[in-house]
Amino acid sequence: MAIHKILRRSLSGEKRSTEVPKGHLVVYVGESEKKRFVIPISYLNHPSFQELLCQAEEEFGFRHPMGGLTIPCSEESFIDLTSHLRRA
C-alpha cells in the first residue's frame, strides 16, 4: 500500500526508533490504543490537519500523555486524511 511508504508506523511490540527523518515529525494516533506515525511537516500547514491539531489542543492542552503530539481520532480517519494530503 503506497500510504505506508509515506507514513511509517512502528507497531506497539516493536522497538521504537528515536530517529525521525529531517522534515518529518512523530504523531500518536488512535482513540484507545495509540499508534506512532512519522509524517512530513508540510502536513501541518493544511487546514484539515490544523483541525486535528485544534482537537488535540482541546483534549490534551499542551500536555500529551504519549510524550509526543497525540491526535485524538481513529487510525482509519488519520490514514484517510493523510492519503488525501499526499495527493494534494
Side-chain angles (χ1 to χ4, degrees):
M1 186 176 222
I3 188 68
H4 289 290
K5 290 180 182 177
I6 301 297
L7 297 173
R8 289 170 231 138
R9 175 178 73 157
S10 65
L11 300 173
S12 58
E14 294 179 0
K15 188 175 184 178
R16 290 190 176 147
S17 172
T18 57
E19 293 183 31
V20 177
K22 186 176 183 176
H24 291 74
L25 73 134
V26 173
V27 296
Y28 294 92
V29 178
E31 294 166 330
S32 58
E33 183 182 333
K34 307 291 187 232
K35 296 202 178 173
R36 183 179 188 259
F37 290 88
V38 177
I39 62 167
I41 60 172
S42 60
Y43 288 3
L44 297 174
N45 292 324
H46 195 279
S48 296
F49 199 87
Q50 289 177 0
E51 280 185 40
L52 286 180
L53 294 176
C54 288
Q55 291 174 13
E57 182 183 9
E58 288 174 14
E59 185 163 328
F60 301 112
F62 293 104
R63 189 179 77 64
H64 293 270
M66 297 296 293
L69 182 58
T70 305
I71 306 291
C73 72
S74 71
E75 181 181 356
E76 183 179 324
S77 295
F78 184 77
I79 290 173
D80 287 345
L81 172 65
T82 54
S83 295
H84 173 73
L85 294 179
R86 187 173 109 311
R87 290 188 297 262

